[in-house]
Amino acid sequence: MKVLLTQPLTRHIKDVPNIPDLGLGYLAAALRNSGHQPLVLDWNMRCDERGFKDFLLSERPELVGVKIFTKDVKAAQITVSLIREALPHAAIVIGGPHPSALEAPDLMDDFRDVDFAIRGEAETSLPALASALQNRPDKSAPLINPAHIRGIAGLVWRDGGRVRSNPISFVHKLDEIGFPAWDLIDPKDYSATVLGVDMKEGRSAPIIMTRGCPSHCTFCTAFNVNGRAIRTRTPENVFEEMKLLYSRYNVRTFMFQDNCFTSGKKNLLTLCEMIIRGNLRVEWDCVSYESLSSLDNETVPLMYKAGCRMIHMGIEAGCESTRKRINKGGSLKEIAQKAALVKSHGVRVGAWFMLGFPEETFREMLATVRYAFSLKADLVTFTPCFPLPGTEVYEYTRRKYALKKIDWALFDIDASSYSMSRISSSQLRAFIKLLRLRIRAARLMKRFGLGA
């Protein structure tokens, strides 16, 4: 079966990343390994609606999968409508963070033109769905046949007037998934660069070593997609993929995108040693979630020697009372010490913060801002807290405003009409805008040698 994996049309989305989508790459590989013919049209897609429809009519995929983030729901609805108009007989399935987090009936109500959704990891489920559709004895029969789709993990479908869903499952042995279909998401077709790395040659590519996050942050929905248990690829498997990207695709910088990349010290050290012994002249950045215990005087120098140039820390709040309410682990003192240790070994620090948590006061926000700048991090970002489906923050918002559900097609995460903190949404937007201007000004001053 010919299967197209795509994103919502980019012309409807602000701040579009230009980076290969690992999730779609993994799904494409899984489909290919099951005998199907995958196509990928992701963030490198620069076509308008006419061009997208022409592509659909030219390729005529029998199954189309659309990956959706909550911020892109409106664009996804438009994209799904275009697919249905161009290919009235094709099956359409949606997946990704938003479908994984939203209640199944609400999801299917928001996307009337789709036939299925898959929640959670789909490397097993999507090929199974494609095979079930392909193997129908009567191709003119309805797509939905319980005998064909029973047991497909995470699958959501309509059964008459009801919405049914199967339990979600996760892949436990990540090495067995195989590498993404890099030929379909070739790094040369993208222009993303690694933060903290001054690219002098070659291309950049994302990569992961782990899936899952054990944290219980009230604002985060990552566990809906990948679960809470940390599962890890072996260092050998990761290194083999890096070598492939290095030799075949001229990749010289890597973005480790998983939240828990530094969670296993032994694996981290082993990977770094393999990069050094293998003489891969690469640079990379990574994320370290709230458990920073692996960052010490043994690991950080070796990470630098292996090419690590920036570690991003999801600190989120610099006020202890706020951190307690949002279930963030680790003390601010420890974080400051780890940030200083990382910088002392030549690795840059990225610090991520959010403002506008439920019941957060302006005084608490100011405490976060003061803490953020006290770290002297190389990169500081401030974003607003918003109520992602499936989170405690979302349930708080529904209770506070007596909402049955939020209309995600009209929701703007940067301009939420549902203030959760003790200041208004407009005040929060103005405050964050001011902070971003300050950061930008400081960066320019430093570039021109006018600041520290």
Side-chain angles (χ1 to χ4, degrees):
M1 174 175 276
K2 183 181 284 190
V3 183
L4 170 64
L5 303 174
T6 190
Q7 300 275 12
L9 275 177
T10 57
R11 68 184 293 253
H12 300 290
I13 304 174
K14 298 183 295 183
D15 303 322
V16 177
N18 195 357
I19 181 174
D21 189 290
L22 277 181
L24 297 188
Y26 275 116
L27 292 179
L31 285 164
R32 182 181 282 166
N33 291 338
S34 297
H36 299 287
Q37 180 185 349
L39 305 168
V40 176
L41 196 63
D42 66 344
W43 295 122
N44 65 335
M45 171 174 55
R46 299 297 171 190
C47 56
D48 58 12
E49 293 180 5
R50 181 67 262 171
F52 183 64
K53 290 182 71 173
D54 288 344
F55 177 85
L56 294 172
L57 293 170
S58 172
E59 295 292 344
R60 293 198 172 276
E62 301 162 86
L63 174 63
V64 181
V66 184
K67 180 178 180 178
I68 305 173
F69 291 88
T70 297
K71 66 184 180 64
D72 303 331
V73 166
K74 181 61 177 178
Q77 290 175 338
I78 293 171
T79 302
V80 166
S81 295
L82 289 170
I83 297 168
R84 178 57 69 217
E85 182 181 340
L87 304 171
H89 302 297
I92 302 176
V93 57
I94 56 177
H98 186 75
S100 296
L102 199 63
E103 292 293 331
D106 290 342
L107 177 68
M108 299 303 274
D109 187 52
D110 289 344
F111 288 90
R112 301 293 180 88
D113 284 329
V114 308
D115 301 291
F116 306 98
I118 294 179
R119 300 192 293 176
E121 296 173 348
E123 281 87 359
T124 300
S125 302
L126 185 59
L129 175 62
S131 296
L133 296 175
Q134 185 181 41
N135 295 331
R136 285 177 297 154
D138 181 3
K139 294 297 189 295
S140 63
L143 290 174
I144 307 300
N145 185 326
H148 296 151
I149 60 179
R150 185 180 296 117
I152 298 179
L155 191 69
V156 179
W157 72 98
R158 296 183 186 87
D159 182 7
R162 300 182 61 185
V163 173
R164 298 188 181 278
S165 59
N166 291 333
I168 294 173
S169 69
F170 300 107
V171 179
H172 295 289
K173 297 181 179 180
L174 298 187
D175 284 9
E176 295 180 359
I177 297 177
F179 302 154
W182 283 109
D183 59 309
L184 299 182
I185 51 171
D186 194 322
K188 71 177 174 55
D189 296 327
Y190 307 82
S191 60
T193 57
V194 180
L195 293 173
V197 173
D198 182 16
M199 287 185 63
K200 299 179 179 64
E201 61 174 315
R203 303 187 177 100
S204 62
I207 192 169
I208 63 166
M209 186 154 73
T210 67
R211 290 186 182 183
C213 182
S215 302
H216 287 74
C217 304
T218 62
F219 55 87
C220 184
T221 187
F223 70 93
N224 287 296
V225 183
N226 298 124
R228 297 199 187 277
I230 298 177
R231 294 151 291 140
T232 184
R233 300 168 63 185
T234 61
E236 292 79 9
N237 184 257
V238 176
F239 181 64
E240 285 302 313
E241 184 178 3
M242 293 180 74
K243 286 200 301 183
L244 170 71
L245 288 165
Y246 186 91
S247 59
R248 186 176 300 177
Y249 296 96
N250 193 32
V251 171
R252 295 296 181 266
T253 58
F254 290 87
M255 298 165 273
F256 282 95
Q257 294 189 316
D258 39 324
N259 291 335
C260 299
F261 174 76
T262 64
S263 59
K265 182 176 178 178
K266 182 179 178 181
N267 283 343
L268 177 59
L269 290 172
T270 300
L271 178 62
C272 289
E273 289 167 351
M274 295 182 77
I275 293 171
I276 295 166
R277 288 200 307 269
N279 198 32
L280 287 192
R281 300 186 180 278
V282 297
E283 293 186 331
W284 44 276
D285 66 354
C286 65
V287 178
S288 184
Y289 80 126
E290 59 193 42
S291 178
L292 304 174
S293 58
S294 292
L295 300 179
D296 55 30
N297 286 315
E298 179 183 12
T299 57
V300 179
L302 194 66
M303 291 171 70
Y304 181 84
K305 188 176 181 181
C308 181
R309 294 297 177 263
M310 179 174 277
I311 297 176
H312 304 274
M313 298 180 178
I315 304 168
E316 315 307 355
C319 175
E320 293 290 7
S321 57
T322 303
R323 292 179 67 80
K324 184 176 181 180
R325 288 200 300 272
I326 64 174
N327 292 340
K328 285 297 290 184
S331 71
L332 293 174
K333 181 179 179 181
E334 178 196 18
I335 292 169
Q337 291 171 341
K338 292 293 185 180
L341 182 148
V342 168
K343 288 178 66 68
S344 73
H345 291 291
V347 180
R348 299 176 185 175
V349 170
W352 300 342
F353 293 92
M354 299 177 73
L355 298 171
F357 294 107
E359 302 302 322
E360 187 178 23
T361 65
F362 189 61
R363 185 183 295 273
E364 289 172 321
M365 294 182 204
L366 288 175
T368 286
V369 171
R370 284 193 293 269
Y371 180 81
F373 290 121
S374 74
L375 293 176
K376 300 188 184 304
D378 301 278
L379 175 71
V380 178
T381 61
F382 293 99
T383 57
C385 177
F386 46 87
L388 286 172
T391 65
E392 292 182 40
V393 167
Y394 175 62
E395 294 305 322
Y396 170 90
T397 306
R398 290 210 302 181
R399 290 193 304 271
K400 180 175 180 178
Y401 291 96
L403 300 171
K404 182 179 179 181
K405 67 175 185 176
I406 289 177
D407 186 344
W408 297 109
L410 301 177
F411 187 78
D412 184 345
I413 63 174
D414 290 319
S416 171
S417 57
Y418 306 114
S419 173
M420 297 176 292
S421 68
R422 298 292 182 86
I423 66 175
S424 69
S425 292
S426 59
Q427 289 173 321
L428 179 62
R429 289 196 300 273
F431 186 44
I432 291 178
K433 183 178 181 180
L434 183 65
L435 292 170
R436 290 172 176 171
L437 286 172
R438 174 182 171 178
I439 293 168
R440 192 175 300 121
R443 193 177 299 139
L444 288 172
M445 294 279 283
K446 185 175 182 179
R447 180 181 300 175
F448 291 107
L450 300 175

